[in-house]
Amino acid sequence: MIPAYLSNPFAAVFGGGKPIDGGRTYKDGRRILGDGKTYRGLFSGIFCGFLAGCVEVWLSFRGFEILGIEMPGFGPDYTSSLIVVLALASGALFGDMFKSFFKRRMGLKRGASLPLVDQLDFVVGAWVFTYLAAPEWFVSNFTPGIMLTVIIITPLLHLTTNIIGYFIGVKKEPW
């Protein structure tokens, strides 16, 4: 999950500039995504998540261990692994954009809290993209136990990173 976990905060750190929706509104008169979803954030977030995943792939193919635990692989070869890493990193940000679209439809402004949805949107996006890109790998690696662990741990990690982002001035809200 590291490529997915890192793409979101790095999109916030390096984001800004032209909004993906170009300032356009949906038929309900509200912005499609809002100013918080920018091309620079999208591409830099995907790049940083992908880069972190590439490091993981490189380490796993060299048998790297932490406390005697071998790094998990992302596929049987480099190409398959890089496809999975890209799916995790990009899926996370598209999941976040999908959530933003629905928050705008609900009349929620940028930064408005939507508990659990705000913390798990990118996980769902990463899982959907990864399942579509590598279904066999996804099913064999995201077992029900692992998925439950991710669902429990992610909101805590997400809140922690958002609080840090708030205190360093990258985020306007601590959620």
Side-chain angles (χ1 to χ4, degrees), residues 1 4 74 83-89 91-92 123-139 142:
M1 288 299 296
F74 289 98
I83 289 169
V84 168
V85 165
L86 183 61
L88 285 165
V123 170
V124 172
W127 285 348
V128 167
F129 272 44
T130 304
Y131 180 79
L132 292 172
E136 289 178 17
W137 182 90
F138 180 88
V139 170
F142 284 106

Side-chain angles (χ1 to χ4, degrees), residues 61-78:
F61 274 100
R62 278 158 183 69
F64 184 76
E65 294 181 1
I66 299 175
L67 301 173
I69 301 170
E70 202 172 299
M71 292 284 291
F74 289 98
D77 54 58
Y78 280 109

Side-chain angles (χ1 to χ4, degrees), residues 3-13 45 89 92-93 96 118 121-122 158:
Y5 282 155
L6 292 181
S7 60
N8 248 3
F10 279 105
V13 169
L93 292 181
D96 186 59
D118 284 329
D121 58 340
F122 73 96
H158 194 267

Side-chain angles (χ1 to χ4, degrees), residues 110-154:
R110 176 181 176 193
S113 180
L114 191 57
L116 288 182
V117 175
D118 284 329
Q119 290 79 34
L120 295 173
D121 58 340
F122 73 96
V123 170
V124 172
W127 285 348
V128 167
F129 272 44
T130 304
Y131 180 79
L132 292 172
E136 289 178 17
W137 182 90
F138 180 88
V139 170
S140 66
N141 284 277
F142 284 106
T143 63
I146 289 175
M147 292 177 89
L148 182 61
T149 301
V150 169
I151 288 169
I152 291 169
I153 290 174
T154 298

Side-chain angles (χ1 to χ4, degrees), residues 3 13 32 35 39 47 49-50 53 63 76 82 84 100 126 160 165 169 173 175:
V13 169
I32 296 171
D35 288 334
Y39 286 110
F47 175 77
F50 182 73
L82 296 178
V84 168
S100 291
T160 302
E173 301 82 16
W175 55 79

Side-chain angles (χ1 to χ4, degrees), residues 14-63:
F14 296 116
K18 184 175 173 61
I20 292 170
D21 67 9
R24 292 184 299 277
T25 58
Y26 194 61
K27 60 185 172 186
D28 60 8
R30 297 183 182 114
R31 287 285 297 276
I32 296 171
L33 297 173
D35 288 334
K37 306 300 173 213
T38 66
Y39 286 110
R40 189 167 65 207
L42 175 67
F43 294 123
S44 62
I46 290 171
F47 175 77
C48 290
F50 182 73
L51 186 61
C54 288
V55 170
E56 279 190 281
V57 167
W58 183 78
L59 290 171
S60 72
F61 274 100
R62 278 158 183 69

